[in-house]
């Protein structure tokens, strides 16, 4: 049913939409939308395609929505930051064995891509990040986050990881009072994982 009135919000400050996202986030409204999320799961046959049971598929959708809302809420502060880090997950490398030529520096600790494979997601994401002025880290685990952020004096961070790791990283960023933007994995499993490179490109 179309609106019975016309409107044009193009002159309304983008802060308006951020405020809406903040209210949704603060009141955790998206967590109360179980029924709608269940409908979404059914509509896109998420359970059939992934083999997940309905409640796991719904909690995945909840996490994705959570991540999107937090991205909107933090976007303004993030955009003003100058020194930024990009954290990539080691599990998205094309190879998880010695065919991956990434160098590991235990003092950081991080892997650094040596660009052995054009079709490796981490290679592509590293190039994108460096081109946009980010310091890029390929993390072996979430426990390295605090050390790197404090040592590097970063003002903002973009992180690619599974929803569970993103939740843990959120807590760290809250403690350090840093704005973050997250890209969730679309295939998890701790090896040969995948994320959407276009989504990362937009966020960077
Ligand atoms: S492109 Fe980089 S991350 Fe990917 S397998 Fe090669 S060295 Fe490892
Ligand atoms: S799937 Fe998640 S927990 Fe597993 S290695 Fe990747 S980011 Fe870490």
């Amino acid at each position: 049913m179309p609106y019975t009135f016309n409107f044009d919000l193009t002159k309304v400050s983008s802060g308006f939409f951020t405020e809406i996202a903040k209210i949704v986030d603060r009141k955790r409204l998206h967590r109360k939308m179980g029924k709608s999320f269940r409908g979404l799961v059914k509509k896109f046959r998420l359970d059939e395609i992934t083999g997940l049971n309905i409640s796991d598929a719904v909690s995945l959708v909840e996490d994705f929505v959570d991540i999107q809302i937090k991205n909107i809420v933090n976007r303004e502060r993030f955009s003003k930051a100058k020194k930024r880090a990009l954290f990539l997950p080691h599990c998205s490398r094309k190879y998880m064995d010695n065919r991956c030529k990434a160098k590991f520096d235990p003092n950081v600790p991080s892997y650094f891509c040596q660009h052995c494979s054009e079709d490796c997601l981490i290679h592509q994401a590293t190039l994108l990040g460096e081109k946009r002025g980010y310091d890029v880290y390929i993390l072996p685990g979430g426990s390295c986050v605090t050390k790197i952020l404090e040592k590097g004096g970063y003002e903002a961070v973009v992180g690619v990881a599974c929803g569970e790791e993103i939740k843990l990283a959120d807590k760290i960023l809250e403690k350090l009072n840093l704005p973050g933007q997250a890209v969730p994995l679309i295939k998890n499993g701790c090896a040969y994982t995948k994320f959407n490179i276009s989504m990362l490109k937009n966020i960077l």
Side-chain angles (χ1 to χ4, degrees):
M1 176 91 142
Y3 285 111
T4 54
F5 51 87
N6 294 327
F7 64 88
D8 178 357
L9 299 181
T10 54
K11 293 199 174 70
V12 176
S13 147
S14 63
F16 168 71
F17 299 101
T18 309
E19 281 305 311
I20 291 177
K22 275 185 189 164
I23 293 168
V24 173
D25 190 36
R26 216 177 298 130
K27 296 197 177 294
R28 300 186 67 70
L29 290 177
H30 49 302
R31 293 279 156 184
K32 293 172 188 151
M33 289 172 66
K35 235 180 170 176
S36 317
F37 292 153
R38 201 167 274 260
L40 208 62
V41 165
K42 280 281 159 210
K43 183 175 171 189
F44 287 91
R45 298 174 30 244
L46 226 65
D47 51 337
E48 286 173 44
I49 294 169
T50 60
L52 290 172
N53 64 43
I54 296 270
S55 76
D56 286 345
V58 168
S59 75
L60 199 58
V61 174
E62 280 176 356
D63 284 349
F64 282 168
V65 172
D66 215 359
I67 289 165
Q68 294 293 355
I69 289 170
K70 284 211 159 57
N71 282 353
I72 296 170
V73 168
N74 288 321
R75 191 68 194 176
E76 204 179 325
R77 270 184 73 213
F78 172 84
S79 311
K80 289 178 186 155
K82 292 205 166 57
K83 192 168 185 203
R84 299 176 186 174
L86 169 60
F87 291 152
L88 300 171
H90 78 109
C91 56
S92 293
R93 289 175 295 156
K94 182 178 177 183
Y95 303 118
M96 297 294 289
D97 52 28
N98 60 11
R99 285 173 293 170
C100 168
K101 302 301 173 203
K103 293 213 165 97
F104 184 71
D105 182 345
N107 296 317
V108 180
S110 173
Y111 290 96
F112 294 96
C113 178
Q114 300 303 303
H115 308 287
C116 72
S117 302
E118 290 282 320
D119 60 347
C120 173
L121 266 178
I122 295 297
H123 153 76
Q124 294 164 7
T126 301
L127 289 187
L128 266 178
E130 286 177 350
K131 203 166 149 198
R132 308 231 172 145
Y134 286 74
D135 289 344
V136 182
Y137 300 91
I138 304 161
L139 301 187
S143 53
C144 327
V145 167
T146 309
K147 188 178 171 194
I148 295 174
L149 288 176
E150 284 182 339
K151 211 169 155 192
Y154 293 104
E155 295 167 22
V157 55
V158 174
V160 180
C162 61
E164 286 301 306
E165 285 288 305
I166 289 174
K167 279 186 223 168
L168 294 176
D170 265 349
K171 289 191 184 129
I172 296 172
L173 294 191
E174 262 173 42
K175 245 192 212 163
L176 299 173
N177 192 25
L178 289 178
Q181 298 283 287
V183 176
L185 291 182
I186 50 174
K187 177 178 182 289
N188 75 339
C190 296
Y192 310 111
T193 60
K194 302 246 179 288
F195 57 90
N196 186 318
I197 196 87
S198 309
M199 186 179 177
L200 176 64
K201 199 172 181 180
N202 288 337
I203 277 185
L204 293 174

